[in-house]
Amino acid sequence: PVLQALEQHDSVAYLIGPEGGWSPEEEALFDERSQNSNRVQAVSLGSLVLRAETAAAAATAASVLYNDMR
């Protein structure tokens, strides 16, 4: 459903969190932006903690797979 919602946009940016996670202030900012805009959407890659390189590859792979399946 989240990737489906991205279809209406020409481009997508993935914000991969830093080692140790986002700060509470950053999370609050993202939450605020996602509530006030249809252009920001928080997405989780699951409960695992991934390295930045792995998270970027997983997000890209999920997007490519979704686009190939539609």
Side-chain angles (χ1 to χ4, degrees), residues 40-65:
V40 177
Q41 174 66 52
V43 179
S44 172
L45 293 174
S47 61
L48 297 175
V49 176
L50 304 175
R51 294 182 59 91
E53 298 86 354
T54 308
T60 302
S63 181
V64 168
L65 180 61

Side-chain angles (χ1 to χ4, degrees), residues 1-2 4 6 11 16 25 33 39 43 46 50 54 56 65 70:
V2 172
Q4 186 177 23
L6 298 176
S11 62
I16 305 297
E25 294 82 9
R33 296 289 164 91
R39 297 187 56 90
V43 179
L50 304 175
T54 308
L65 180 61
R70 44 180 193 129

Side-chain angles (χ1 to χ4, degrees), residues 15-51:
L15 303 178
I16 305 297
E19 183 176 335
W22 299 106
S23 71
E25 294 82 9
E26 291 167 325
E27 288 184 7
L29 177 64
F30 296 147
D31 288 343
E32 177 188 324
R33 296 289 164 91
S34 66
Q35 291 174 5
N36 296 326
S37 170
N38 67 346
R39 297 187 56 90
V40 177
Q41 174 66 52
V43 179
S44 172
L45 293 174
S47 61
L48 297 175
V49 176
L50 304 175
R51 294 182 59 91

